[in-house]
Amino acid sequence: MSSGSKLFLSTAVLTALAGISIGTSVQAAPAPQIVRTLDENSRVTLEGNTRPEANAQNDRGRVADSFALDHLQLVLRRPQEQERAVDAAIDQMHDRQSPSYHKWLTATEFGQRFGNAQADVDKVTAWLTAHGFHVNDVSAGRTIIDFSGTAGQVRAAFHTEIHNLDVNGVHHIANMADPQVPVALAPAIEGIASLHDFMPRPNYKVKTNYTLQRGATTDYAVLPADLATIYNFTPAFNAGITGLGETVVVIEDSDVTNVPDWTTFRQVTGLSNYTSGSFTQVHPGKNCSDPGATGDSGEASLDAQWSSAAAPNAAIVLASCSNTQTNFGGFIAFKSLIDSKTPPPIVSISYGECETEDTAAGNKYVSKLFQQAVAQGISVFTSSGDAGAASCDQNTRGATHGVGVSGLTTTPYNVSVGGTDFGDTYAGTNTTYWSGSNSSVYGSALSYVPEIPWNDSCASQLIASFNGATTTYGSDGFCNTTAGERDLTTAAGSGGPSGCATGKPAVAGVVGGSCKGWPKPSWQKGFVGIQNDKVRDVPDVSLFAANGVWDHFYLYCSRCSTNPALWSGAGGTSFASPIFAGIQALIDQKAGGTQGNPDPVLYSLAATEYGSAGSKSCNAVKGNKVGKSCIFYDVTEGDMDVNCTGTADCYLPSGTNGVLSTTDKKYKPAFGTATGWDFATGIGTVNVTNLVNAWPQ
């Protein structure tokens, strides 16, 4: 870690042996769950742990028994009463009225109080060793066992085969059936995350050439000075709230291609005036190897640069590990960091993976990592995704799997950050909000700019109406016209309900069957606009994330010159998440310490501003007339609906292309904006200085 890292230890020494706990309740040491005699012939299937791509059509035969599988993750199961206890403890840590408020745990303390019984861990590791596996380590939280072996050992121990797959011309490997474990061990085992090589995907989109029917166009690219103006960072910066002394970690599976790019980005955009800002790359833990610059190096570069734009005096740390055959390198890095003696205060992860496809064990794995993190006081930010409400169809020309969200953003332990666009081009008011020339640091924004959801699809009602269409669907709708078919894409800011965090879909990749979403957290209940669906809804907040459909996009430096006109242009919630992590660094500096999960405070402040009917003065449509006291800007115009085909949540009354809808029978777009919270943008976007000043000290 860099010199700017902080060590945040619990203010109470907690040991399960002594029966001491935070608050007034006493948490006993966890009781063993493995009490039966081990019988290898008596087994139970761990359902929901096979990728949908592992089917006969894609099957190309079993891999060799000697095929190495490194750093498999066995996710352990707690008793239900212990699950309730850890969530209750986390709630108390975030309740200002509780004596446990902000009394964070160390990783060891978390394991002692809320990990699986050591006797159970010992029995499971002994069973793995007996089958020839090498146990690399057990997480400090005693919830995950890292082990390595071969495909033959997996087949013998878990009774599932690893096969070669050909998925649309790309080679993969995966288990062909749900794994099995002995009945005696089953009470303590959730599943294996994972037995396949389908990795989370970075959530950014390069700028492309758009052809809306409006004649000559002008691009209004966003650089740090614009970000500071639009979201009102500048007064906080002027007051010395710049992230000084704070650390933001961006989680990656790649190093940056060219380390000096970070310095060039800051020099050209004026951030180098903040002389305490720093950038380092680390590869934490004994299970981590340096990945070098991989195909995701662009993601690594933009995360490092734009987190620094929001917190220019903070230490930016890029933590990366190599992917293994079955594990995302970013998770290896994250797990090592939270188990360390100096865990980071703020983490951003700009990757995503469809909740329905990521398997039940994969979703549990992410949830347990984030759960331990917030109990240690770490603030976790994730990008909501770049595919509207169709996260299972990211990077395609249309949705086919219905409404689905990313499993990396739906846990109750992270802030899910969605994406917006600016509405000035749609309204014809570019010159109101942008100067005709740039400042010396290439800023041209004049004020807050009206916002709409980021949406590149022909299913966007705003894009359709701008092109003279009255509807997006049907044989005469925009998505079935020559002009509209150029915009067949799922590229949009993501949001939706958690639908398949646990269980198994009846149709591959489609929410249904025994699928269940994560329960709705208490801080999300009763908020104006929030759905009464009893599940976790995302995103929580949003920031600008568009990639150019309305002429606005970000620039970042990748092997670049000092001329930003030659830099890479892109968008995506990959930008929004590290920027919001940088905002949290400003909050931590002003508040005087780490904040754990920021969601309870974000929703509390927004509830005060919006009340039961929303805030007219804080409506994003008002643009530069928005109220000066607003903490949040409520985005109320536009939608993130995308085009679709098939029968899963697709309204297709006629024509070739339909639009994603919560019913196949009529047009109920998934999803539009509304007063208060909505699936398109969550609470909305922020006035940074007002948010920092309003945060409880």
Side-chain angles (χ1 to χ4, degrees):
M1 298 292 292
S2 73
S3 60
S5 300
K6 291 186 175 181
L7 173 60
F8 292 97
L9 296 177
S10 169
T11 57
V13 178
L14 306 169
T15 65
L17 293 176
I20 301 172
S21 71
I22 289 178
T24 58
S25 62
V26 175
Q27 177 71 31
Q33 300 179 88
I34 302 174
V35 296
R36 299 176 61 173
T37 301
L38 181 63
D39 179 359
E40 288 284 358
N41 295 317
S42 179
R43 289 184 163 259
V44 63
T45 299
L46 304 174
E47 292 190 347
N49 290 298
T50 304
R51 290 282 305 195
E53 298 89 349
N55 56 47
Q57 179 182 350
N58 296 331
D59 190 7
R60 297 298 182 269
R62 200 170 80 189
V63 303
D65 278 353
S66 60
F67 187 85
L69 297 169
D70 293 329
H71 298 295
L72 299 165
Q73 306 293 304
L74 191 70
V75 184
L76 301 179
R77 186 197 311 272
R78 297 188 186 97
Q80 282 301 309
E81 59 271 18
Q82 196 177 14
E83 284 287 358
R84 290 190 290 269
V86 66
D87 282 335
I90 289 172
D91 285 345
Q92 291 173 22
M93 293 175 195
H94 293 84
D95 180 358
R96 290 179 62 81
Q97 305 306 312
S98 169
S100 302
Y101 180 64
H102 281 199
K103 293 183 178 178
W104 313 119
L105 303 177
T106 65
T108 300
E109 290 167 347
F110 183 85
Q112 290 171 340
R113 290 192 63 199
F114 302 117
N116 287 66
Q118 187 62 51
D120 287 349
V121 174
D122 292 342
K123 289 178 181 178
V124 174
T125 54
W127 177 76
L128 290 169
T129 302
H131 277 279
F133 294 109
H134 175 71
V135 175
N136 301 308
D137 67 43
V138 177
S139 66
R142 295 212 303 250
T143 57
I144 299 165
I145 299 174
D146 183 307
F147 68 106
S148 299
T150 65
Q153 290 166 342
V154 166
R155 178 162 52 88
F158 295 100
H159 290 197
T160 185
E161 296 181 351
I162 308 299
H163 281 218
N164 294 296
L165 304 178
D166 185 333
V167 183
N168 298 321
V170 179
H171 176 262
H172 285 281
I173 61 161
N175 55 304
M176 297 302 291
D178 287 337
Q180 299 177 5
V181 294
V183 169
L185 302 180
I189 296 177
E190 294 276 10
I192 309 168
S194 59
L195 290 170
H196 59 79
D197 67 349
F198 293 89
M199 300 294 167
R201 298 161 296 193
N203 284 322
Y204 77 101
K205 302 282 187 184
V206 298
K207 179 188 179 294
T208 56
N209 293 319
Y210 293 95
T211 54
L212 294 178
Q213 303 302 305
R214 59 177 182 269
T217 62
T218 300
D219 286 337
Y220 299 91
V222 175
L223 284 160
D226 302 310
L227 187 81
T229 296
I230 294 165
Y231 291 123
N232 200 32
F233 283 81
T234 304
F237 290 170
N238 290 342
I241 307 302
T242 57
L244 184 65
E246 304 298 328
T247 299
V248 177
V249 174
V250 293
I251 297 293
E252 313 290 343
D253 65 351
S254 175
D255 295 343
V256 299
T257 301
N258 187 40
V259 172
D261 286 343
W262 188 84
T263 301
T264 301
F265 179 81
R266 284 173 53 89
Q267 288 175 340
V268 170
T269 61
L271 299 176
S272 58
N273 294 330
Y274 300 92
T275 56
S276 294
S278 64
F279 173 62
T280 55
Q281 297 186 122
V282 298
H283 313 294
K286 64 179 183 180
N287 296 322
C288 178
S289 60
D290 184 350
T294 73
D296 290 338
S297 60
E299 177 68 65
S301 294
L302 69 90
D303 287 350
Q305 291 168 23
W306 279 93
S307 56
S308 180
N313 261 331
I316 307 301
V317 177
L318 188 156
S320 64
C321 298
S322 296
N323 295 331
T324 71
Q325 283 285 2
T326 60
N327 197 12
F328 174 52
F331 290 155
I332 297 174
F334 187 91
K335 179 169 168 284
S336 296
L337 289 173
I338 65 174
D339 277 355
S340 72
K341 293 182 180 180
T342 55
I346 304 164
V347 171
S348 173
I349 303 178
S350 290
Y351 292 74
E353 182 61 51
C354 171
E355 188 182 60
T356 314
E357 297 178 346
D358 200 30
T359 75
N363 291 325
K364 273 287 187 180
Y365 177 49
V366 174
S367 177
K368 286 182 182 290
L369 289 174
F370 292 0
Q371 182 188 61
Q372 179 181 328
V374 298
Q376 295 176 227
I378 301 168
S379 301
V380 181
F381 294 84
T382 62
S383 55
S384 70
D386 293 356
S391 287
C392 299
D393 295 298
Q394 187 156 318
N395 300 324
T396 68
R397 283 176 55 81
T400 58
H401 293 88
V403 174
V405 290
S406 167
L408 272 64
T409 201
T410 55
T411 85
Y413 312 112
N414 62 274
V415 178
S416 175
V417 189
T420 65
D421 202 338
F422 296 129
D424 54 309
T425 300
Y426 173 74
T429 56
N430 292 137
T431 57
T432 301
Y433 294 101
W434 303 89
S435 172
S437 59
N438 290 316
S439 70
S440 61
V441 291
Y442 298 96
S444 59
L446 300 174
S447 69
Y448 175 68
V449 185
E451 289 180 274
I452 57 178
W454 167 40
N455 191 353
D456 293 356
S457 171
C458 59
S460 161
Q461 190 60 54
L462 297 183
I463 289 179
S465 63
F466 195 88
N467 283 272
T470 56
T471 61
T472 55
Y473 53 85
S475 57
D476 296 327
F478 186 59
C479 285
N480 290 299
T481 65
T482 300
E485 287 180 345
R486 290 196 294 264
D487 296 326
L488 292 174
T489 180
T490 59
S494 286
S498 176
C500 201
T502 63
K504 183 176 183 178
V507 178
V510 178
V511 174
S514 61
C515 284
K516 291 184 179 179
W518 295 123
K520 190 179 295 296
S522 59
W523 35 263
Q524 216 175 33
K525 295 177 181 177
F527 191 88
V528 59
I530 203 74
Q531 302 299 297
N532 186 25
D533 52 13
K534 299 182 180 179
V535 296
R536 169 78 161 111
D537 293 323
V538 296
D540 297 307
V541 289
S542 292
L543 290 171
F544 172 73
N547 66 330
V549 68
W550 293 106
D551 306 326
H552 302 294
F553 50 91
Y554 286 103
L555 293 177
Y556 70 98
C557 176
S558 180
R559 289 197 177 278
C560 58
S561 70
T562 56
N563 179 5
L566 302 177
W567 290 3
S568 300
T573 54
S574 277
F575 288 89
S577 179
I579 290 172
F580 223 110
I583 294 171
Q584 190 64 42
L586 309 185
I587 292 169
D588 285 11
Q589 180 190 351
K590 179 72 182 294
T594 186
Q595 301 297 303
N597 186 1
D599 275 325
V601 176
L602 291 170
Y603 278 86
S604 176
L605 292 173
T608 300
E609 180 174 304
Y610 291 164
S612 60
S615 171
K616 292 182 179 179
S617 65
C618 298
N619 191 323
V621 174
K622 295 176 72 70
N624 58 12
K625 301 297 193 298
V626 75
K628 295 186 181 300
S629 64
C630 297
I631 298 172
F632 299 96
Y633 301 130
D634 189 5
V635 182
T636 60
E637 182 180 41
D639 59 62
M640 61 167 186
D641 200 17
V642 298
N643 49 282
C644 61
T645 55
T647 59
D649 300 326
C650 188
Y651 180 56
L652 185 55
S654 58
T656 302
N657 304 298
V659 295
L660 198 66
S661 174
T662 53
T663 173
D664 298 339
K665 306 301 181 184
K666 60 181 178 179
Y667 179 56
K668 296 187 72 174
F671 290 97
T673 53
T675 297
W677 188 95
D678 53 59
F679 285 120
T681 61
I683 292 169
T685 60
V686 294
N687 180 308
V688 171
T689 295
N690 290 349
L691 177 64
V692 169
N693 290 335
W695 202 271
Q697 301 299 301

